[in-house]
Amino acid sequence: MTELKLPITSRRQLLKYFASVPMLPMGAMAASSLLTGCNDSNDDNNNTTPTPIAAKFKSAVFSPMAAPNLANPAEMATMAVNSSLVVTLDDNSTKAYALAYQPFFVTGDLVSDGMGGKMLAGGYFDINNQPILDTSVAGSTRYLYSDCPDGSSLLTLDNPTVSVTGKPVFAVVQFEYTSENQAGQSLYGQLPSPIAVLTLDQDQTTGQLSLVKYHNVDTSGVNGLWITCGASLSPWNTHLSSEEYEPDATKAATDAQLRAFSTNLYGKADTANPYHYGHLPEVTVNPDGTGSIKKHYCLGRISHELVQVMPDERTVLMGDDYTNGGLFVFVADTAKDLSAGTLYVAKWTQTSGVSAGAGTLTWIKLGHATSTEIKAMADTLTAADIMDVKTVDPLIADPTATGYTQIAYSGGSNWVKLMPGMEKAAAFLETHRYAALVGGSLEFTKMEGTTVNAKDKVAYSAMSYVYKSMTDGKGDIHVEGPNAGAVYALNLTGGQNDLTGTAINSEWMPVDMAAVPALIGEDLATADSLGNTANPNKIANPDNIKFSETLRTLFVGEDSGMHVNNFLWAYNVDTKVLSRVMSTPAGAESTGLHAVDEINGWTYVMSNFQHAGDWGGIHANVKEILEPLINLNYKNGSGAAVGYLTASPKAIALQA
């Protein structure tokens, strides 16, 4: 169990907090039955009858759920939540509240556009904002929609103009990709990712959120979006999106994925410019529940997964979901403005190779730029203008070749030669290659989400798999694993210099990195009876991570090919206890994680899933049983849920 201790003393605070925490809301009236007590003081009318008072909050724990199994296949085929919150007051009374999952919609649903019409949840649009059709099966044409909702944010505005019964709350949800068309052909990365603003009505008695409006954000002004994965809420209340697995500009003319993307977006296979993708989009929610978007081109063109802006509102820690990826930091020139700043890549000096390992970090400056100047370069330059790139040693073909440097790139090797005067273009448009060329440790594999524990000045980074470039014995990083991945803690401090001795203008720079012992996965030598190849009672392949300052809890969502069902976990950083909170449908990934400490007195944890029934070898023992159930629950596997964790308004009896 994960213990939770909070400085709550008033009845009103307790009512509102336990109408919601964690990731609730639940009815305040249900909580009130916990709050009565007696004191010996007279009331204001000199009545000597004891007056009921609110008992003070003492502690709370997450009571974890067991991993679902074939004894109850229905649980394995849905968002299963059998965890609970156990509350203890200072009179030692104890009650438990059952947690549950509340979806806003399943993708493919028709939802309100707020103007009397309907929108297709997760639907795709081309550059002219026309719906994209699936014509793969003759006589069965339909609109395309995503089965892969991912990053989400929950926020409020000071001046909303939308009309709701309670109070308006807004969510931004992005859709990473669609697994396949009706004919069963893969569509991964071939469609421009949609992103939507949801207007929600927050019930002021229960905290419940209800969808009243769905708005598709117009992305035509930023050339569409490419594989939007994780996301975060900026300190200035905007949604920071992502574009991962940037297309290789050296292969643009023959890249089948990029050409299909271009066809679906523009109607022509050769229109999309690879240098327009792999950047950081930012969505601003408007008071009327619409949204506007811009792309920042100066944070490096990498496999952006999920960034974390530090409390200084300038320093951005960035995950890089790549093989031979790097740890990057961007320091903005001005707070709350990511349009200009300096980009750095980490140099790892290993201090331990045991298990997932540990190291100290120093920083290499890649360059300073504005988004405007890099966008201008992206519009006009080709890969050949920036670098001469070979995929085999040029000396084999030409023994007189000079000026090439061998670098690690995307699980293999490149030989690169920088064109004269192209340092800035290379740093911001060919970031992976340039960072390796100048000595960055481009050996991390699948670095996913990042988040921060501001009180302790500790950041966390999820390494979904610790293998390949991290375990091959080459370069700076050479650790043991496991394949099941780990979450690393990074201590943050100021007063740091880059490797040229120049001061870094940030008080939030990571200086070391070590795997958190309780958050290291465990590979199994042989699969268990269900099919798991990693211990189901430990995390496997962490992806989305978010930290709650109020709960002192790190939430971890899995994207695992080693667990039959993926899980959402809660890890208390003080007690070091890990609790399983939720299980996604078999074959699905836990996505869209966003821990929100307080909105109008309630606390929420947003959570989605994607690609239910994405069957792999580990599902051999369960597929036949679970596939019909998943098909029934989620539109034959083409739908996925967007929603949040809540709680039953009725207390449940504790086990003796």
Side-chain angles (χ1 to χ4, degrees):
M1 292 185 179
T2 303
E3 186 176 3
L4 170 65
K5 296 183 178 179
L6 301 170
I8 296 177
T9 57
S10 74
R11 181 178 186 274
R12 178 60 178 159
Q13 284 178 305
L14 189 62
L15 279 170
K16 292 194 104 179
Y17 204 82
F18 285 105
S20 62
V21 89
M23 40 312 161
L24 306 180
M26 61 182 164
M29 290 304 294
S32 68
S33 64
L34 301 179
L35 307 178
T36 56
C38 294
N39 66 16
D40 295 325
S41 61
N42 295 338
D43 62 21
D44 293 337
N45 297 318
N46 295 317
N47 190 331
T48 59
T49 302
T51 303
I53 62 170
K56 295 179 181 178
F57 172 81
K58 182 178 180 181
S59 65
V61 297
F62 291 118
S63 182
M65 63 179 284
N69 57 57
L70 287 176
N72 188 347
E75 285 190 346
M76 298 184 69
T78 191
M79 290 287 262
V81 188
N82 293 320
S83 53
S84 61
L85 178 73
V86 181
V87 179
T88 301
L89 302 180
D90 65 356
D91 63 0
N92 290 322
S93 61
T94 305
K95 292 290 180 77
Y97 294 86
L99 303 182
Y101 183 71
Q102 178 65 49
F104 299 128
F105 56 77
V106 172
T107 58
D109 287 351
L110 290 175
V111 295
S112 174
D113 67 358
M115 298 178 290
K118 296 291 185 181
M119 291 287 292
L120 181 68
Y124 286 91
F125 297 86
D126 64 17
I127 198 68
N128 298 311
N129 288 306
Q130 295 302 304
I132 300 176
L133 299 177
D134 182 352
T135 60
S136 63
V137 176
S140 185
T141 297
R142 68 165 173 82
Y143 295 126
L144 278 164
Y145 60 87
S146 176
D147 65 330
C148 294
D150 207 302
S152 65
S153 296
L154 195 69
L155 57 96
T156 58
L157 299 177
D158 292 334
N159 57 340
T161 59
V162 294
S163 177
V164 298
T165 302
K167 289 186 177 180
V169 174
F170 302 96
V172 183
V173 180
Q174 58 197 44
F175 301 88
E176 186 177 0
Y177 62 94
T178 285
S179 296
E180 59 186 26
N181 59 22
Q182 293 180 93
Q185 300 160 329
S186 174
L187 289 179
Y188 178 79
Q190 297 181 24
L191 296 164
S193 295
I195 191 164
V197 176
L198 313 182
T199 299
L200 307 170
D201 187 350
Q202 185 191 51
D203 187 300
Q204 293 306 290
T205 300
T206 66
Q208 180 176 346
L209 301 173
S210 302
L211 177 65
V212 298
K213 177 181 177 180
Y214 181 106
H215 168 77
N216 188 73
V217 177
D218 179 2
T219 65
S220 60
V222 295
N223 305 109
L225 299 178
W226 174 275
I227 313 179
T228 53
C229 194
S232 62
L233 184 68
S234 75
W236 51 94
N237 215 34
T238 59
H239 175 87
L240 300 180
S241 182
S242 58
E243 293 184 309
E244 73 173 4
Y245 306 128
E246 77 281 6
D248 186 346
T250 69
K251 301 177 180 178
T254 58
D255 185 335
Q257 182 185 40
L258 178 63
R259 292 176 67 79
F261 173 89
S262 182
T263 300
N264 285 312
L265 178 60
Y266 290 105
K268 295 181 179 180
D270 57 358
T271 302
N273 176 351
Y275 283 141
H276 286 160
Y277 309 103
H279 302 288
L280 184 75
E282 182 176 15
V283 175
T284 299
V285 177
N286 301 319
D288 63 354
T290 62
S292 59
I293 190 168
K294 57 187 173 183
K295 274 188 192 179
H296 297 291
Y297 280 71
C298 53
L299 283 85
R301 185 170 167 270
I302 60 174
S303 188
H304 285 287
E305 167 74 20
L306 192 164
V307 307
Q308 176 64 54
V309 180
M310 299 300 165
D312 65 354
E313 302 182 333
R314 295 174 53 251
T315 304
V316 187
L317 180 65
M318 296 183 282
D320 183 22
D321 185 3
Y322 211 65
T323 300
N324 291 111
L327 178 63
F328 295 90
V329 164
F330 176 79
V331 181
D333 293 348
T334 305
K336 304 181 182 181
D337 182 358
L338 302 181
S339 65
T342 305
L343 182 64
Y344 299 89
V345 65
K347 181 76 171 176
W348 162 287
T349 300
Q350 189 154 298
T351 56
S352 172
V354 176
S355 185
T360 58
L361 301 172
T362 49
W363 295 93
I364 298 171
K365 179 181 175 180
L366 298 181
H368 176 278
T370 68
S371 184
T372 300
E373 64 180 319
I374 303 305
K375 172 64 162 57
M377 294 179 183
D379 290 344
T380 58
L381 296 177
T382 68
D385 295 327
I386 301 172
M387 279 183 171
D388 184 3
V389 178
K390 307 294 185 185
T391 57
V392 296
D393 189 343
L395 292 174
I396 296 174
D398 180 6
T400 66
T402 60
Y404 291 90
T405 301
Q406 183 179 357
I407 62 167
Y409 179 78
S410 191
S413 291
N414 278 183
W415 287 258
V416 301
K417 180 193 293 187
L418 187 64
M419 296 293 100
M422 286 292 165
E423 288 81 4
K424 181 172 285 191
F428 292 92
L429 294 177
E430 288 290 342
T431 308
H432 279 129
R433 291 184 170 105
Y434 185 74
L437 180 64
V438 298
S441 296
L442 272 288
E443 295 145 31
F444 295 102
T445 297
K446 291 191 66 61
M447 182 183 292
E448 308 262 1
T450 60
T451 190
V452 65
N453 168 357
K455 178 182 177 182
D456 299 334
K457 293 196 78 168
V458 175
Y460 301 97
S461 290
M463 206 73 63
S464 185
Y465 290 78
V466 180
Y467 70 166
K468 293 184 178 179
S469 59
M470 296 184 72
T471 60
D472 62 9
K474 302 175 183 178
D476 299 328
I477 304 173
H478 39 92
V479 300
E480 295 174 340
N483 289 348
V487 175
Y488 290 78
L490 298 80
N491 288 301
L492 307 168
T493 190
Q496 300 303 298
N497 297 330
D498 66 26
L499 286 185
T500 69
T502 304
I504 300 174
N505 186 19
S506 171
E507 296 298 312
W508 296 86
M509 291 298 292
V511 293
D512 55 27
M513 184 171 178
V516 179
L519 299 178
I520 301 173
E522 180 185 335
D523 302 342
L524 299 178
T526 57
D528 66 15
S529 60
L530 199 63
N532 294 300
T533 58
N535 187 340
N537 294 316
K538 295 185 178 181
I539 66 163
N541 312 116
D543 189 330
N544 282 204
I545 57 173
K546 289 293 172 69
F547 186 74
S548 168
E549 296 283 347
T550 300
L551 303 179
R552 298 285 293 163
T553 294
L554 179 67
F555 293 98
V556 181
E558 297 181 341
D559 176 12
S560 180
M562 303 179 74
H563 279 171
V564 172
N565 288 86
N566 280 199
F567 307 123
L568 176 65
W569 301 87
Y571 173 70
N572 186 286
V573 298
D574 297 321
T575 65
K576 317 299 184 188
V577 175
L578 182 67
S579 302
R580 182 188 290 105
V581 173
M582 183 169 67
S583 173
T584 66
E589 172 187 346
S590 176
T591 62
L593 179 61
H594 182 209
V596 187
D597 280 340
E598 194 276 334
I599 288 184
N600 299 324
W602 280 271
T603 296
Y604 300 91
V605 168
M606 309 292 289
S607 187
N608 311 326
F609 73 82
Q610 59 180 225
H611 56 67
D614 184 10
W615 307 113
I618 66 169
H619 298 106
N621 296 340
V622 302
K623 179 180 178 182
E624 183 176 356
I625 298 171
L626 299 183
E627 188 169 32
L629 299 174
I630 286 177
N631 287 344
L632 180 64
N633 291 339
Y634 301 112
K635 299 182 170 68
N636 290 321
S638 67
V642 172
Y644 66 106
L645 281 163
T646 183
S648 168
K650 178 181 284 189
I652 60 174
L654 288 173
Q655 296 295 319

